[in-house]
Amino acid sequence: MSKTVSVILNGYKRNHLKEQVDAIKSQTYPVEEIFYWQNTSPGFSYDEETYSELNSALSNYNYGVWARFAYALNCRTDYVCVIDDDTIPGSRWIENCVNTYETHPGLLGGIGLWFKNKNYELELLENGEVAKFGWQVNNPEPVQVDIVGHSWFFARDLLSVFWREIPDNRWTMLCGEDIHFSYMLQKYTDLKTWVPPHPPEDTSMWSSLKALQYGGDHLATANTTVQTGEMAKYLSYCVDNGFKLLNSYD
């Protein structure tokens, strides 16, 4: 019996929802249901026609990056794929994740980072590139990483691991969910974090086709929270409490 998949989309100030939904409906591996969480932003014009077709929740408050993982508890499928609002997946992304999960179970993601230290500094590869695997630094085979972002694919049961420890959302509303998920898996299971193959010759398998075009603007939460030090603060918090980065095993 084929495994079933749900997709969780979310929005704040971007408006790529229809393009995302079209990309999901065009997947080579069928998606059972699409959920949509909208954090309200005053004055923002919502794509009412598209989100009215989905299992949608329109919040009158901005609950940041964490609410979508709580909303995912409504899924009834074997797998869940949470996708950022700047991410348009290739047509074989879900198929790629399902196939990769059979040999590399855990948390799969669209772009994966290797950290040099707990201050959110990234490792440099031998060719001088920053260690951001996926659509940025292509990997022909699955590669283990410290954390993943832009798209998170996992067995629905792992939501119980994600919420095993409740984050202190007094200071981490806008970042940290990606670090938290990998940290919880490491602490409470033997599962690892992976980036599925992103072969340079086949973009249909990629997690994101317009990452630099849609994700490089001033609306990118990661751009803001890295610059302000919030991402480093949360990574340091997790490392200080036992999260082991890959370079600490060397």
Side-chain angles (χ1 to χ4, degrees):
M1 181 179 177
S2 297
K3 298 284 189 178
T4 53
V5 180
S6 294
V7 166
I8 303 288
L9 300 175
N10 61 109
Y12 180 46
K13 292 183 178 181
R14 292 193 180 96
N15 201 350
H16 306 307
L17 182 59
K18 185 179 187 308
E19 188 176 2
Q20 284 189 302
V21 171
D22 288 345
I24 291 163
K25 289 182 177 179
S26 299
Q27 292 292 305
T28 56
Y29 194 99
V31 171
E32 191 86 359
E33 49 190 0
I34 304 174
F35 290 80
Y36 179 64
W37 176 275
Q38 175 70 59
N39 281 317
T40 293
S41 175
F44 183 76
S45 178
Y46 304 111
D47 185 350
E48 296 185 21
E49 183 177 353
T50 301
Y51 82 62
S52 64
E53 300 173 357
L54 311 175
N55 301 323
S56 299
L58 178 59
S59 171
N60 64 357
Y61 184 79
N62 178 16
Y63 282 102
V65 297
W66 298 82
R68 52 194 173 166
F69 288 94
Y71 195 39
L73 293 167
N74 293 287
C75 297
R76 296 165 291 183
T77 50
D78 299 298
Y79 295 125
V80 176
C81 187
V82 177
I83 298 178
D84 271 349
D85 62 357
D86 60 356
T87 301
I88 310 297
S91 62
R92 295 178 62 199
W93 173 238
I94 299 296
E95 176 191 348
N96 187 11
C97 289
V98 172
N99 291 339
T100 301
Y101 207 94
E102 292 181 358
T103 54
H104 297 76
L107 177 61
L108 310 184
I111 193 160
L113 309 181
W114 280 353
F115 291 114
K116 182 184 299 185
N117 52 48
K118 68 178 185 179
N119 297 320
Y120 213 83
E121 294 181 61
L122 297 177
E123 292 278 11
L124 293 179
L125 305 178
E126 291 182 359
N127 61 5
E129 290 186 287
V130 177
K132 290 185 177 181
F133 297 97
W135 52 261
Q136 188 161 344
V137 176
N138 299 150
N139 49 297
E141 301 294 333
V143 60
Q144 186 181 352
V145 293
D146 288 313
I147 69 168
V148 287
H150 291 207
S151 182
W152 297 261
F153 184 95
F154 51 92
R156 179 184 177 276
D157 290 349
L158 294 184
L159 286 168
S160 65
V161 181
F162 182 96
W163 293 112
R164 190 73 57 88
E165 295 182 14
I166 305 301
D168 185 349
N169 60 11
R170 291 174 298 178
W171 61 276
T172 187
M173 288 288 289
L174 297 180
C175 71
E177 84 291 10
D178 44 5
I179 303 168
H180 177 83
F181 207 160
S182 293
Y183 171 40
M184 291 295 96
L185 285 181
Q186 185 187 97
K187 184 172 182 178
Y188 292 106
T189 75
D190 59 357
L191 297 173
K192 298 176 174 60
T193 301
W194 306 91
V195 177
H198 281 68
E201 71 282 357
D202 189 358
T203 59
S204 70
M205 296 177 67
W206 290 17
S207 57
S208 185
L209 300 179
K210 297 184 177 180
L212 295 178
Q213 179 181 347
Y214 287 171
D217 59 25
H218 68 284
L219 299 176
T221 301
N223 291 343
T224 302
T225 53
V226 169
Q227 291 172 3
T228 60
E230 291 299 298
M231 293 286 269
K233 181 179 178 182
Y234 197 79
L235 181 61
S236 293
Y237 167 82
C238 291
V239 170
D240 290 345
N241 283 278
F243 183 36
K244 293 190 69 174
L245 304 179
L246 288 174
N247 71 5
S248 67
Y249 292 91
D250 295 339

